[in-house]
Amino acid sequence: MESRVETRLFLWEEAHRLVSDEVIRQKLLDGAFDEARKLALEQIKGVSWRAQSWVFLGEACLRLGNGKIARRCFERAWLLDPMAPWVNAVMKACDEVSAGKRDREVESALRVPKTTVSALVLFRDDARTIKRCIEALRPAVDEIIAVDTGSTDGSDVIASAFGAQVYRFEWTGDFAAARNFGLSKVTSQWVIAIDSDEILYAEDVDAIRTIAGVFESVRKESPVILRIVQMNLTGETVTPATSQSRMFPTGEDIEWRGLIHETPTLTKETARPAVRALVRIRVYHDGYDPKHVDLEKKFRRNLELLTEALEREPNNPVYEFYIGRESLFLKDYTKSIEYLERAEQHAKEIAGFSLLPDIRRRLAQAYMLAGKNEHMANKLEDMVKEHPEYPDGWFLRGEKKLREAGVLLQEAAQDFAKAQEAAQKYRGITEYDTAIGLWKAPAQLGEIARMRGNLVEARRWYQRVLKQEPNLKTIRERLEKLEQEACAIAQDVQEATKNTKDE
């Protein structure tokens, strides 16, 4: 199995990696599991923050029959690769083998240095969520610094009552200034920023200190800025929508920048670029749930701050992108396209600008909603060509083709129906294919119904054809296959219903 972690790996990391991935992978394929275990441990000594190294070690331990320690290795890998697709299957496999013997070497590799972490929470009139936010954080961190930017609903009293150190900060329309004020109050080795409408997952309480410990060695050689997973809660639906740069070591040259959509930023150039790893610290966020938030008011407030920020920093593609995105949410497609096109142009002038795929994604969506289908098609081609690793480009292009296919199927059905009708009425002297009216058009209408998933309608068309021409082998085979598929679906439904009742 392969880890798909998005951590930016640099040459200096490769220099620390004592064993190559290819060597360990081959040992596993050859069944040399004890050797693979030893080599994975050697690799982890140099790069303990790489998810793939822990995947290798976990697989070796699992194959050696040590399910308990294998599970711990996979859990470490999952911390470092939160989007890993293998988690459920692998954890189940670990539970299905014996616990095995104790492995002190692996246990030693799993230990991390003790570190202290502060949570930094901004809030204003968040009495609805501030209690749950702080209660969830309390067992996960060493202190909670809560910055009140002007509450009048008693949020500050609630925050203080549940253990936060509350500081008042006069709101200046600058989120970065408020965060940096809070940062000045932090006394721990690491800080993680949490919004007051975000609730830490109970399963990730231990993750914050563990992750800080894992990356403690990295910070000695390169700046570290960690991204957490924001799980957007809308109604009953939870979606891992975005990763947010929120966690970093204190005492480094890192501060928050940006009037809005602020991000941790290096304050001076360093010999080595920052490691910006995505880690498994998940927070529920309902800040975009219309049940709790006036979204139009929120987006318009954002636009005011973004416009001011862009005036201070003209041609900044980050602010141009967010203005385009918020305008898209507000259905102002003309403005959205204008700013997204500007953002794309300026982003292309910056080598390795990370937001460029997302800029193009939003631009393609804006083109579609504005009815500029040719522009949308061209932008999607740019995405899959220049960002082949970015899933949204392929998905949006697939959606476009599916819509086109649906239109073509509808038009084809109309043509076949007209062909059948014309064949029944045609009395001209020019020779024509008489089978069109008898069975060819109905057979094609049945095929279209099948492609659309309407099995009942397809079956009726095929039966109608066979009634007219019972010796058509191809149509009979299609009908038999369709009926087999229908029976298989019915059987699956019965089994699923039975399993649900048993649960």
Side-chain angles (χ1 to χ4, degrees):
M1 74 194 69
E2 297 295 322
S3 168
R4 300 181 184 179
V5 68
E6 294 292 331
T7 306
R8 198 183 297 179
L9 298 176
F10 301 101
L11 291 176
W12 64 269
E13 178 197 321
E14 293 180 2
H16 282 68
R17 198 186 313 165
L18 304 178
V19 183
S20 73
D21 289 353
E22 290 70 23
V23 171
I24 302 175
R25 188 178 292 110
Q26 192 58 52
K27 292 295 182 183
L28 289 168
L29 291 173
D30 293 342
F33 303 127
D34 192 54
E35 289 183 59
R37 170 191 164 280
K38 292 176 181 177
L39 291 172
L41 280 168
E42 282 297 309
Q43 191 179 75
I44 286 168
K45 286 180 182 179
V47 285
S48 61
W49 57 93
R50 285 187 71 242
Q52 186 61 58
S53 302
W54 290 102
V55 169
F56 285 146
L57 184 56
E59 188 161 357
C61 292
L62 180 62
R63 301 296 183 185
L64 289 167
N66 295 331
K68 185 176 179 179
I69 199 70
R71 184 183 181 92
R72 290 183 62 191
C73 292
F74 286 124
E75 286 173 348
R76 178 62 56 83
W78 187 23
L79 274 184
L80 302 169
D81 185 6
M83 300 303 179
W86 45 259
V87 174
N88 290 336
V90 167
M91 296 306 182
K92 182 180 179 182
C94 291
D95 292 339
E96 289 174 350
V97 302
S98 65
K101 60 184 179 181
R102 186 173 183 180
D103 191 326
R104 296 183 186 277
E105 280 189 283
V106 176
E107 288 176 358
S108 177
L110 283 162
R111 292 192 194 101
V112 297
K114 290 185 178 181
T115 56
T116 56
V117 184
S118 298
L120 173 56
V121 180
L122 291 190
F123 71 95
R124 179 178 181 177
D125 291 337
D126 286 312
R128 180 180 67 84
T129 58
I130 191 70
K131 174 187 172 184
R132 287 184 293 140
C133 174
I134 291 175
E135 279 189 318
L137 287 170
R138 199 160 53 189
V141 298
D142 298 279
E143 67 176 0
I144 301 172
I145 304 298
V147 178
D148 179 10
T149 60
S151 295
T152 58
D153 67 347
S155 299
D156 53 341
V157 176
I158 298 172
S160 180
F162 283 89
Q165 300 175 38
V166 178
Y167 297 90
R168 189 83 172 193
F169 180 78
E170 184 176 350
W171 178 242
T172 60
D174 187 334
F175 280 95
R179 288 212 192 270
N180 287 329
F181 169 78
L183 186 59
S184 71
K185 306 299 181 183
V186 167
T187 63
S188 298
Q189 296 166 278
W190 286 74
V191 62
I192 180 169
I194 302 291
D195 289 341
S196 56
D197 58 359
E198 294 175 338
I199 313 299
L200 178 68
Y201 267 47
E203 299 93 324
D204 295 348
V205 164
D206 294 333
I208 292 179
R209 289 192 182 95
T210 299
I211 287 167
V214 168
F215 284 91
E216 184 66 18
S217 62
V218 184
R219 68 180 288 188
K220 298 174 183 177
E221 305 203 36
S222 184
V224 178
I225 298 175
L226 302 179
R227 293 145 48 213
I228 70 172
V229 182
Q230 190 182 68
M231 310 288 285
N232 276 345
L233 180 62
T234 305
E236 300 300 319
T237 303
V238 179
T239 308
T242 55
S243 66
Q244 304 279 342
S245 294
R246 297 286 191 83
M247 185 171 172
F248 54 89
T250 58
E252 306 288 343
D253 296 310
I254 300 174
E255 68 177 17
W256 296 89
R257 289 186 181 172
L259 293 184
I260 185 172
H261 299 308
E262 66 284 4
T263 57
T265 306
L266 298 178
T267 58
K268 66 179 183 181
E269 292 187 10
T270 59
R272 298 186 177 99
V275 171
R276 297 178 183 271
L278 177 64
V279 295
R280 202 203 72 209
I281 299 172
R282 297 165 294 178
V283 291
Y284 287 114
H285 174 251
D286 66 1
Y288 288 101
D289 189 339
K291 289 194 306 182
H292 304 301
V293 180
D294 184 336
L295 291 180
E296 182 174 352
K297 181 179 178 181
K298 181 173 184 173
F299 292 142
R300 294 198 182 282
R301 179 213 64 179
N302 290 354
L303 281 174
E304 289 180 7
L305 293 173
L306 288 165
T307 301
E308 181 182 345
L310 190 59
E311 289 174 356
R312 295 185 186 183
E313 298 181 51
N315 301 329
N316 186 317
V318 174
Y319 297 136
E320 290 170 335
F321 164 67
Y322 283 121
I323 290 174
R325 191 191 71 170
E326 311 297 69
S327 298
L328 181 61
F329 292 153
L330 290 169
K331 300 182 180 180
D332 187 345
Y333 304 133
T334 301
K335 183 175 181 178
S336 177
I337 289 170
E338 175 191 350
Y339 278 90
L340 289 171
E341 286 180 341
R342 286 169 56 179
E344 181 185 31
Q345 183 59 42
H346 293 135
K348 288 192 293 185
E349 297 170 0
I350 303 172
F353 190 75
S354 61
L355 277 178
L356 185 54
D358 201 7
I359 291 171
R360 286 174 164 160
R361 172 173 74 111
R362 301 293 183 178
L363 190 50
Q365 292 171 334
Y367 283 144
M368 180 189 70
L369 293 167
K372 297 187 174 185
N373 293 326
E374 185 175 348
H375 287 74
M376 176 190 67
N378 291 337
K379 194 54 56 187
L380 293 176
E381 292 304 317
D382 288 345
M383 289 180 71
V384 298
K385 180 181 178 181
E386 298 185 31
H387 314 288
E389 76 291 346
Y390 190 60
D392 292 63
W394 298 105
F395 183 82
L396 290 173
R397 194 174 75 163
E399 277 193 325
K400 170 182 167 290
K401 291 181 177 180
L402 187 59
R403 285 192 299 270
E404 293 170 347
V407 171
L408 288 173
L409 283 175
Q410 178 64 30
E411 292 175 352
Q414 293 171 352
D415 288 346
F416 289 133
K418 288 178 180 177
Q420 183 182 24
E421 181 182 359
Q424 292 169 349
K425 295 179 179 179
Y426 186 73
R427 297 296 182 270
I429 62 173
T430 302
E431 182 181 356
Y432 76 102
D433 187 348
T434 57
I436 289 174
L438 295 174
W439 66 270
K440 282 189 174 181
Q444 295 290 43
L445 288 167
E447 190 66 7
I448 288 174
R450 184 191 65 79
M451 293 171 71
R452 286 175 163 177
N454 193 335
L455 302 187
V456 174
E457 182 182 344
R459 183 171 183 269
R460 288 170 180 167
W461 280 116
Y462 291 152
Q463 287 177 328
R464 179 174 172 179
V465 170
L466 291 173
K467 186 175 181 180
Q468 185 70 37
E469 295 288 340
N471 295 322
L472 289 171
K473 181 180 178 182
T474 302
I475 301 302
R476 186 167 297 283
E477 289 175 350
R478 289 182 189 175
L479 179 59
E480 289 174 355
K481 183 177 180 181
L482 184 147
E483 290 176 342
Q484 290 171 0
E485 290 174 352
C487 288
I489 291 171
Q491 185 176 351
D492 285 347
V493 170
Q494 288 178 344
E495 291 179 0
T497 302
K498 181 179 181 298
N499 291 337
T500 301
K501 289 180 178 178
D502 291 342
E503 291 175 0

